[in-house]
C-alpha cells in the first residue's frame, strides 16, 4: 500500500502556498480537477508546459478546487484573482508545473465618465436579438446577442466573403462602444437573419438592460438597484456561461434545477436528459405537442420532442402551460443544466448585473403571447 505524499483532501490556502513549494506525486499522467458543485474534469499531466494552467469558473465568493492524481489529492481555496502553484512529480522524475487560477471579478461601477449606451435592436420572428455591428470600421454585419455563448463568432460563409488574413486582432463596434483586439471564432450556423453572434462576456463588469417593450439594449457602467417590480436571481457561473435557479412543476410536485440563461436558444426550455431522469420528471405522462429535428451551432441534427409542462417558476413568477423540449441526445451545453431560451426570456424585461452577479426579471407586454410550439 502506497502512503500519499499529502493527506487526502488536505486543504491548502494561497497564503500557505506562497511560503513553501507544494509537491504531490503521480504514477499516471491522467489526473482530475473538480470544482465545488461541478463534475470532475479530466486533466493530463504535461511536464513540457510550464505552467499548465487551469482557470476556474468566475466566482465572486471564491472557489474550492480539488486536484486528484492516482496517488495524491489536494484541496485548494482561492479568492477572486488568486493563483495557486504546485508541482506534480510524475513517475518520481518529471516535474509537472501546475497552476489553478480564479478569474478576477471585473467591475466598472467607478468608471468616469459613466457609460449608458442605448442601442436599438430587432427582435426577429425567430426570437433573435439582432444588431448592426461594424467590423474593423468598414463592414456592417447583422449579429445576434447570445447570452449562451462568449466572445465573437462568425459563420464560415461570411468569413469566406470577408477574406480576413487572420482571426485575431479585430475590432467590433456596437452602439458607441468599440471592442478592440478581439478574436473571431468560426461557426457553421447562426440565427436566421444573422451572420454571427456575440456573447455575454463582452459586458463582464457592467450591467446590461434588455427592454423588449421598447426594443432597447442598454449598456451601463453603473445603475441603481431596480425597483420592486423586478424579481432578482443569483447568477451561477459555469463553463464560461451563466445559469439561474428555477423550478418546473407538475401536479403540485416541484423539480428544482439550474437553467442556462440562453437567449440565443430560440425556443422555450430544453430539458437536460440526465436531470429529468435523476428527478423522475414525469415526461411520459405529459401531452406531446411536436416532434422535430433541430440543428446546433455545428450543424449537427438533434432530435427533440416537445411536451406541455404545467408550471415554470422563477422565484414568485409563474408561467403556465409552457411547452418544453426533451432531448434524446446529450445536452449541447456539455454540462448538466436545463437550457432557458428566448421564447420564454423575451417575456421578461431583463437586467443582467455582472457587478452584483444578479439577474433581474419583470414581466412585459409579451407575457401572455402564445408559444410558437403550441
Amino acid at each position: 500500500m502506497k502512503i500519499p505524499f499529502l493527506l487526502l483532501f488536505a486543504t491548502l490556502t494561497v497564503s500557505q502556498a506562497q511560503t513553501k513549494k507544494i509537491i504531490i506525486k503521480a504514477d499516471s499522467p491522467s489526473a482530475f480537477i473538480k470544482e465545488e458543485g461541478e463534475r470532475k474534469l479530466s486533466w493530463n499531466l504535461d511536464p513540457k508546459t510550464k505552467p499548465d494552467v487551469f482557470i476556474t469558473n468566475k466566482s465572486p465568493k471564491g472557489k474550492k478546487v480539488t486536484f486528484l492524481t492516482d496517488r495524491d489529492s489536494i484541496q485548494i481555496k482561492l479568492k477572486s484573482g488568486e493563483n495557486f502553484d504546485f508541482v506534480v512529480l510524475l513517475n518520481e522524475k518529471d516535474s509537472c508545473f501546475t497552476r489553478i487560477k480564479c478569474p478576477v471579478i471585473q467591475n466598472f461601477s467607478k468608471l468616469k465618465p459613466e457609460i449608458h449606451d442605448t442601442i436599438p435592436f430587432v427582435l426577429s420572428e425567430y426570437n433573435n436579438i439582432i444588431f448592426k455591428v461594424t467590423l474593423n470600421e468598414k463592414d456592417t454585419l447583422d449579429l445576434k446577442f447570445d447570452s449562451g455563448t462568449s466572445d465573437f463568432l462568425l459563420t464560415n460563409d461570411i468569413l469566406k466573403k470577408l477574406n480576413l488574413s487572420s482571426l485575431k486582432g479585430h475590432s467590433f463596434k456596437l452602439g458607441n462602444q468599440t471592442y478592440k483586439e478581439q478574436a473571431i471564432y468560426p461557426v457553421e450556423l447562426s440565427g436566421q437573419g444573422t451572420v454571427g453572434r456575440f456573447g455575454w462576456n463582452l459586458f463582464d463588469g457592467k450591467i446590461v438592460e434588455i427592454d423588449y417593450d421598447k426594443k432597447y439594449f442598454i449598456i451601463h457602467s453603473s445603475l441603481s438597484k431596480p425597483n420592486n417590480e423586478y424579481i432578482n436571481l443569483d447568477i451561477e457561473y459555469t463553463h464560461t456561461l451563466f445559469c439561474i435557479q428555477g423550478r418546473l412543476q407538475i401536479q403540485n410536485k416541484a423539480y428544482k434545477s439550474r437553467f442556462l440563461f440562453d437567449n440565443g436558444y430560440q425556443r422555450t426550455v430544453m430539458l437536460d436528459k440526465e436531470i429529468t431522469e435523476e428527478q423522475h420528471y414525469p415526461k411520459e405522462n405529459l401531452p406531446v405537442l411536436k416532434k422535430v429535428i433541430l440543428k446546433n451551432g455545428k450543424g449537427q441534427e438533434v432530435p427533440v420532442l416537445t411536451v406541455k409542462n404545467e408550471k415554470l417558476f422563477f422565484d414568485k413568477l409563474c408561467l403556465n402551460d409552457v411547452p418544453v423540449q426533451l432531448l434524446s441526445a446529450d445536452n449541447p451545453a456539455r454540462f448538466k443544466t436545463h437550457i432557458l431560451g428566448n421564447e420564454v426570456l423575451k417575456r421578461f424585461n431583463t437586467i443582467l448585473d455582472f457587478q452584483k452577479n444578479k439577474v433581474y426579471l419583470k414581466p412585459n407586454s409579451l407575457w401572455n403571447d402564445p408559444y410558437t410550439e403550441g
Side-chain angles (χ1 to χ4, degrees), residues 15 19 30 33 47 88 98 109 119 126 133 139 154 166 186 210 230 236 246 253 284 328 331 335-336 371:
S15 59
T19 59
S30 297
I33 294 178
V88 183
T98 309
S109 60
I119 311 164
Y126 300 101
V133 178
D139 295 303
L154 298 182
S166 170
I210 308 175
Y230 289 85
E236 177 186 343
K253 184 172 181 179
E284 298 84 2
S328 58
N331 193 326
F335 61 93
K336 282 175 63 173
Y371 295 98

Side-chain angles (χ1 to χ4, degrees), residues 198-259:
F198 57 92
W200 74 272
N201 63 319
L202 299 183
F203 314 109
D204 194 12
K206 298 177 184 176
I207 301 168
V208 173
E209 187 175 354
I210 308 175
D211 188 328
Y212 289 95
D213 292 321
K214 298 178 181 178
K215 305 297 187 296
Y216 283 154
F217 189 93
I218 311 171
I219 304 169
H220 303 277
S221 60
S222 64
L223 187 68
S224 57
K225 184 178 179 180
N227 60 39
N228 292 333
E229 294 179 4
Y230 289 85
I231 64 165
N232 75 86
L233 303 165
D234 291 333
I235 285 178
E236 177 186 343
Y237 296 98
T238 180
H239 296 76
T240 74
L241 304 174
F242 68 95
C243 302
I244 57 175
Q245 287 289 323
R247 66 187 188 276
L248 304 161
Q249 184 170 304
I250 303 290
Q251 295 182 349
N252 297 320
K253 184 172 181 179
Y255 303 88
K256 184 179 179 182
S257 186
R258 67 180 178 186
F259 290 73

Side-chain angles (χ1 to χ4, degrees), residues 26-69:
D27 293 332
S28 168
S30 297
F32 295 94
I33 294 178
K34 187 179 187 310
E35 291 186 48
E36 188 176 13
E38 299 289 349
R39 290 175 171 172
K40 287 194 303 185
L41 298 176
S42 297
W43 184 262
N44 186 61
L45 296 169
D46 181 7
K48 296 179 181 179
T49 305
K50 301 178 180 181
D52 209 354
V53 181
F54 174 81
I55 301 175
T56 73
N57 291 305
K58 175 182 173 182
S59 174
K61 298 178 181 179
K63 274 288 178 181
K64 184 186 292 183
V65 180
T66 303
F67 190 95
L68 306 98
T69 74

